[in-house]
Amino acid sequence: MTATTPVLERPAKEPKKQQRFNEGTGRLAAILLSPTLLVLGVVVLFPIMSALRESLFTSGQHLDANGFIVKGSTFVGLDNYTAIFKGDTGHRFWNAFYNTTFFTVVCIVLETVLGVAMALIMHKAFKGRGIVRASILVPWAIPTVISALLWKWIFQADGIANTLIGTQILWSTEGWQSKLSVVIADTWKTAPFIGLLVLAGLQTIPAEVYEAAKVDGATAWKTFTRITLPLVKPALLVAVLFRILDTLRIFDLPFVLVGAHKDSVETLSMLAYDEAFNTRYGPAAAYATVLFVYVAVVAYLFVKILGADVIGEARAKKPGGGNGKRWRKKNAVQAAPNTAVGAVASSGGGGQ
């Protein structure tokens, strides 16, 4: 009979703690981004804060309540803002506000339509496509001031525009013609920008998608509305957003093409410039602040209405949170009808 020695069991190893993929990257990202944030703070945040401070003061010589001459800056609170909406200043402000909004809406609509058309033309494969692409993008490469001088020469009383239409129109005087000249010049210059970004979006669409649509018998209009536009929507929205921000701050084109102190084309940027040029820095900063708020509100509404809230979607997709559960449930509910439609289309679509 042999004696067996008991076998000692090895102590169980503690499970290794799994490291998250992004563990420790937050501090590294902060270190790498700190120079960029510092530069942005110097060139963006500091001027904004300085403008806000300047809008609460008035500078120059004026009389105080006792009739004495006061020089330098004087704190006036919100008086510069309230004065914007009063009397002749208020009329001038609302006229500039209307002109700014008018140019933004009309120019963006025209530029979007022409830009998409340019992108579709540049995307087609034909002989001499490189020359067509280069010629379409030339207006965008020209500086705005040079473009304004070019169109000012075209819209002269004895210029090419009047020669072509066979009449005499004073394009640089008060009236609808000055607005029309700015719209034409701005559309000619910046429509290629939208076309360039839309072209980049078109080149990411696989050719098999169009071949499948052609096999299914889709018309050219349905192919454009059901395939092309939805797939280039991200690039198109970015282009339109950039153009909205630029047009809301339009200054150099109407200033050079038509001139200053023209009620027909005076914008908020021109109004702020005129106040600063006459050394009324407080009201000028107030106008600039109002324009800044206007641009920020329009950009925020544009992003929210068109559903491009990237930060909100990223927070909703975090696992484990209530928002993430609601997001998954919502997507599941929305995906069910789409799946059913896809099944019906795949089973019975061939018979149509």
Side-chain angles (χ1 to χ4, degrees), residues 70-336:
V70 179
K71 296 182 179 181
S73 299
T74 304
F75 180 79
V76 294
L78 299 177
D79 290 349
N80 289 329
Y81 293 96
T82 57
I84 292 177
F85 308 99
K86 295 180 180 178
D88 295 337
T89 304
H91 173 73
R92 190 180 179 188
F93 167 77
W94 287 116
N95 176 71
F97 183 86
Y98 167 76
N99 290 335
T100 303
T101 307
F102 174 82
F103 288 139
T104 300
V105 174
V106 175
C107 291
I108 294 304
V109 171
L110 294 177
E111 291 166 11
T112 301
V113 175
L114 292 178
V116 172
M118 290 178 181
L120 293 175
I121 293 174
M122 292 187 291
H123 188 61
K124 294 292 183 180
F126 57 90
K127 188 176 182 180
R129 183 175 63 173
I131 299 176
V132 174
R133 287 184 176 183
S135 61
I136 288 178
L137 296 177
V138 164
W140 173 248
I142 298 176
T144 305
V145 175
I146 304 300
S147 176
L149 291 174
L150 172 65
W151 282 100
K152 188 175 183 178
W153 173 69
I154 294 175
F155 287 128
Q156 286 180 350
D158 56 348
I160 300 175
N162 287 338
T163 303
L164 292 177
I165 62 180
T167 185
Q168 291 292 325
I169 298 178
L170 301 178
W171 296 92
S172 60
T173 57
E174 293 284 2
W176 61 269
Q177 66 275 6
S178 59
K179 276 188 171 65
L180 181 60
S181 64
V182 173
V183 170
I184 293 174
D186 188 70
T187 303
W188 174 82
K189 173 173 172 49
T190 53
F193 171 74
I194 296 181
L196 182 63
L197 292 188
V198 174
L199 176 62
L202 287 174
Q203 293 178 343
T204 61
I205 302 176
E208 293 81 3
V209 177
Y210 292 105
E211 294 175 359
K214 188 176 182 180
V215 170
D216 291 341
T219 62
W221 176 250
K222 284 189 175 181
T223 302
F224 175 72
T225 56
R226 303 291 180 85
I227 296 177
T228 304
L229 276 184
L231 292 180
V232 301
K233 180 182 176 181
L236 182 60
L237 291 183
V238 172
V240 172
L241 178 59
F242 283 173
R243 286 301 307 135
I244 288 176
L245 300 182
D246 285 340
T247 312
L248 287 174
R249 298 178 288 106
I250 188 172
F251 168 79
D252 42 4
L253 184 62
F255 187 85
V256 176
L257 177 58
V258 180
H261 303 287
K262 299 292 180 64
D263 291 341
S264 300
V265 296
E266 188 174 50
T267 61
L268 292 176
S269 297
M270 297 173 66
L271 192 58
Y273 167 81
D274 185 64
E275 292 293 320
F277 183 79
N278 291 281
T279 66
R280 294 189 290 267
Y281 302 113
Y287 283 120
T289 303
V290 171
L291 177 60
F292 171 77
V293 174
Y294 183 35
V295 172
V297 170
V298 171
Y300 176 79
L301 293 178
F302 181 87
V303 173
K304 292 296 291 185
I305 291 175
L306 295 177
D309 189 7
V310 180
I311 298 178
E313 291 180 358
R315 289 177 179 175
K317 293 178 182 179
K318 285 184 178 180
N323 293 334
K325 294 179 180 178
R326 287 195 297 268
W327 180 83
R328 288 192 295 271
K329 183 178 180 181
K330 179 180 178 181
N331 277 4
V333 173
Q334 292 178 351

Side-chain angles (χ1 to χ4, degrees), residues 17-36:
K17 184 180 180 181
Q18 295 182 353
Q19 291 184 348
R20 296 181 180 178
F21 179 76
N22 60 348
E23 187 175 352
T25 59
R27 182 179 300 175
L28 177 61
I31 295 174
L32 295 177
L33 291 176
S34 56
T36 302

Side-chain angles (χ1 to χ4, degrees), residues 62-70 74:
H62 61 279
L63 299 178
D64 60 5
N66 298 322
F68 294 101
I69 298 176
V70 179
T74 304

